[in-house]
Amino acid sequence: MKRGILISLDGTARPVQIPRMVDWITADGLTDYDAALAFMEARVAAIHAGRADEAVWLVEHPPLYTAGTSAKAGDLLEARFPVHVTGRGGQYTYHGPGQRIVYVMLDLNRRGRDVRAFVARLEAWVIAALAEFGVTGVIREGRVGVWVPRPDKTPLPDGSPRDDKIAAIGVKLRRWVSFHGIAINVEPDLSHYGGIVPCGISGHGVTSLVDLGLPVGMADLDVALRRGFDATFA
């Protein structure tokens, strides 16, 4: 909350609490990863200090891999692209053109200091956005991110059905202000995942909205995300 002054019709002034807004920022073109980190670091500090509103930042990156705090060296199969070691949760993942990166800089001091509940909200937000395109996103025990069941694919050797990952989630908190966030596959080059074991999970694949046969563009997904944000994080 921000403090303000309300002036009544009779000229009386009294202090009031003004709800903070959430800035929605969409970057043009491809955003350098190190520049993105610097921007988030500065914004998170400003949010905590009360000098800036919360923010949702929508970007695309050039092809690269990121290693989270749980990344295992053996899961980097081939460093086809620059590898960035980062402080977010999770393991190895890929970012690149055609993938919507959603950086969430939200203040959990006022939204509830519960990391699991926050991640569950991020998952629910992605699932709601996918549902607008007729895609069923699911959460799987022991697997981070959002998955799409693929009954059309051959089951795993143990008979369990296959899923394809469509969205990765990895966050970091500083003084209970979040950064990093979500990566949703719209139309990336899925072959680029071949250099890593995505999120340390073998046997399952990766997919995208276009790979699923949907004529969905980045702007379409952005509209769905914006529409579902308030319902999820109100």
Side-chain angles (χ1 to χ4, degrees):
M1 303 288 280
K2 294 188 288 188
R3 293 185 179 276
I5 300 295
L6 175 65
I7 308 296
S8 63
L9 292 176
D10 63 4
T12 304
R14 63 184 178 87
V16 294
Q17 296 289 323
I18 304 172
R20 284 193 177 278
M21 304 296 290
V22 177
D23 286 342
W24 280 75
I25 310 165
T26 303
D28 295 326
L30 301 180
T31 301
D32 176 78
Y33 190 75
D34 288 333
L37 288 181
F39 176 89
M40 286 191 287
E41 294 271 0
R43 186 64 179 241
V44 165
I47 291 169
H48 182 264
R51 293 183 283 100
D53 290 332
E54 297 174 301
V56 175
W57 189 25
L58 307 175
V59 309
E60 288 180 81
H61 287 307
L64 58 92
Y65 297 130
T66 66
T69 55
S70 301
K72 301 174 182 176
D75 287 342
L76 179 62
L77 306 178
E78 180 186 355
R80 302 179 184 178
F81 308 110
V83 179
H84 296 264
V85 177
T86 181
R88 63 156 177 82
Q91 301 187 41
Y92 277 103
T93 195
Y94 165 77
H95 295 325
Q99 183 188 70
R100 174 52 87 208
I101 306 298
V102 187
Y103 287 133
V104 286
M105 289 156 276
L106 301 177
D107 189 357
L108 272 62
N109 289 292
R110 67 185 187 87
R111 293 180 177 274
R113 293 184 175 187
D114 187 328
V115 178
R116 291 192 179 188
F118 178 59
V119 172
R121 282 186 173 187
L122 293 175
E123 293 168 339
W125 183 28
V126 173
I127 289 171
L130 295 176
E132 293 205 19
F133 307 109
V135 175
T136 300
V138 299
I139 304 304
R140 297 301 193 199
E141 185 69 27
R143 289 193 245 144
V144 179
V146 177
W147 302 77
V148 176
R150 299 304 300 265
D152 54 314
K153 291 190 173 183
T154 304
L156 293 172
D158 64 1
S160 59
R162 289 186 186 271
D163 298 322
D164 282 348
K165 193 168 191 175
I166 196 167
I169 296 176
V171 296
K172 182 177 181 179
L173 299 177
R174 178 167 298 152
R175 296 178 178 177
W176 290 101
V177 180
S178 70
F179 55 123
H180 296 277
I182 305 166
I184 305 173
N185 290 341
V186 178
E187 192 179 7
D189 185 337
L190 296 178
S191 71
H192 290 178
Y193 281 90
I196 58 173
V197 178
C199 300
I201 297 169
S202 301
H204 298 280
V206 289
T207 191
S208 69
L209 289 167
V210 171
D211 180 56
L212 293 170
L214 299 169
V216 177
M218 200 69 70
D220 301 313
L221 177 62
D222 292 349
V223 170
L225 289 168
R226 183 67 187 90
R227 188 157 38 223
F229 180 83
D230 290 337
T232 306
F233 289 94

